[in-house]
Amino acid sequence: MTTNPQPGRTSALDELRAVYHEQLTRLAAERDAARRQARRAQAQADVARADLASLKSRVGELLNAAARHLPDLPPVEGPDTPELPAAQEGRALPAPADPDPEPPSETGGKPEDRPARAA
């Protein structure tokens, strides 16, 4: 291998430079694509966080509205409440001592016979 280029031929050093330049160009393109993908993912995560906060707020509003209409349901204290009433079933109120204290309601059956509503 000679270091002196012959007319019409490229030297080994020139070939190495060309390969190195191609590799640098390809790596820069991959880096740029990865950066674009990371920015896209970050934007999607920001949107998801905003959607989650909105949903938490709406669930809190709905639970408070339900608590106003259902006297046995404790009111929710705000969107930062970590537990939903379904998670609090272990702390449910005890059953009344008299199994049939009131006549069946218009919806049919005793309150405990009606199916539970999902929040």
Side-chain angles (χ1 to χ4, degrees):
M1 180 161 68
T2 64
T3 57
N4 296 334
Q6 297 176 357
R9 298 178 77 188
T10 59
S11 69
L13 184 58
D14 289 337
E15 288 177 19
L16 280 175
R17 282 184 184 141
V19 170
Y20 182 70
H21 188 326
E22 282 179 32
Q23 187 176 16
L24 285 177
T25 304
R26 187 178 68 249
L27 288 173
E30 289 174 5
R31 178 202 62 211
D32 294 343
R35 285 180 177 170
R36 283 190 299 274
Q37 184 178 4
R39 282 192 298 267
R40 218 175 299 124
Q42 182 63 46
Q44 289 173 345
D46 292 342
V47 168
R49 274 191 291 277
D51 288 347
L52 180 61
S54 175
L55 285 172
K56 283 183 177 181
S57 173
R58 184 67 180 139
V59 166
E61 291 172 9
L62 291 172
L63 288 173
N64 281 329
R68 285 192 296 271
H69 298 288
L70 301 171
D72 292 344
L73 187 65
V76 179
E77 298 196 3
D80 294 331
T81 303
E83 289 185 300
L84 295 176
Q88 298 173 348
E89 287 179 358
R91 296 182 281 180
L93 297 174
D98 185 4
D100 193 13
E102 58 187 58
S105 65
E106 296 174 4
T107 58
K110 297 180 279 185
E112 54 268 16
D113 293 340
R114 283 181 261 156
R117 292 185 184 180

